Amino acid sequence: MDPECRGGPATDVFFVTMTPKVLAGAVLAYVYNGLLTRFPLRCARELYLRGYLGQFGRGTSVQMGCRFLNGRRVHFGAHNAIGFDCLFDGRIYDIRTGANVSIGPEATVLTLGHDPLSGDFRDKGGPVTIGDRVWIGYRALILPGVTIGEGAVIGAGAVVTRDVEPYAIMAGVPARKTGDRPRNLKYQLDFKPILL
């Protein structure tokens, strides 16, 4: 847990103490999420993201409209293709992607939520790990604490609530296995639109 975050008395509820580091993070997030995310030059956005995110792998592309909650906890591997209007929630826990990951438009990756069984609305979450050559479809939702194995496919609109085995094809709400992807994947993503 970050030193700026601590539990309240006799609970697991987190709150953030305003420190210079937290304030700086909030300003960095505002600059990107409020201003730069809709700037129509990919190279300008990527220049900012290289300094703002925890990792921005070589050959990775992020389209317009993507938002980051605590970008320092978002780590993109090499040659990722991130579609427009995605949300990456790194407020408390890390999000890590492998190489050649394709994340479709409007997908959401969450690391923090609330425990619905908690009488005092406790926070509940965990890191999200996405393996090499994973393909996540349009408007998919990845919930906290999930690991998606190498080469897996997450169908459009699917809600991933638990770990996904390598090369599994998942679809539905909640996501269930519908098939297997071939294991001989060799592609390298190189999606770099100029104005997106």
Side-chain angles (χ1 to χ4, degrees), residues 40-63:
L41 287 177
R42 177 187 49 80
C43 57
R45 292 190 315 275
E46 288 181 9
L47 182 65
Y48 189 87
L49 290 174
R50 287 185 192 288
Y52 173 50
L53 299 183
Q55 177 186 352
F56 192 88
R58 184 175 53 83
T60 288
S61 176
V62 175
Q63 291 184 13

Side-chain angles (χ1 to χ4, degrees), residues 63-136:
Q63 291 184 13
M64 291 193 316
C66 290
R67 292 164 293 144
F68 300 91
L69 306 180
N70 193 1
R72 298 304 300 160
R73 291 196 170 276
V74 178
H75 307 266
F76 290 141
H79 299 283
N80 284 203
I82 311 300
F84 60 83
D85 291 330
C86 290
L87 172 65
F88 296 91
D89 168 15
R91 286 176 289 173
I92 301 291
Y93 302 98
D94 286 355
I95 297 170
R96 294 185 180 275
T97 69
N100 296 294
V101 171
S102 177
I103 300 180
E106 298 182 15
T108 299
V109 181
L110 299 176
T111 65
L112 189 62
H114 294 281
D115 183 351
L117 303 177
S118 168
D120 57 0
F121 209 54
R122 289 184 182 164
D123 288 338
K124 182 178 181 182
V128 172
T129 303
I130 299 170
D132 293 343
R133 291 191 172 88
V134 167
W135 174 13
I136 298 174

Side-chain angles (χ1 to χ4, degrees), residues 100-187:
N100 296 294
V101 171
S102 177
I103 300 180
E106 298 182 15
T108 299
V109 181
L110 299 176
T111 65
L112 189 62
H114 294 281
D115 183 351
L117 303 177
S118 168
D120 57 0
F121 209 54
R122 289 184 182 164
D123 288 338
K124 182 178 181 182
V128 172
T129 303
I130 299 170
D132 293 343
R133 291 191 172 88
V134 167
W135 174 13
I136 298 174
Y138 188 89
R139 286 195 178 163
L141 173 60
I142 313 302
L143 292 181
V146 168
T147 296
I148 301 175
E150 177 179 356
V153 175
I154 308 301
V159 177
V160 179
T161 60
R162 56 184 57 146
D163 290 354
V164 175
E165 64 186 60
Y167 302 98
I169 298 174
M170 308 289 287
V173 179
R176 300 201 189 291
K177 186 174 178 182
T178 62
D180 290 296
R181 194 174 188 199
R183 295 181 179 262
N184 60 344
L185 303 174
K186 299 176 182 151
Y187 61 83

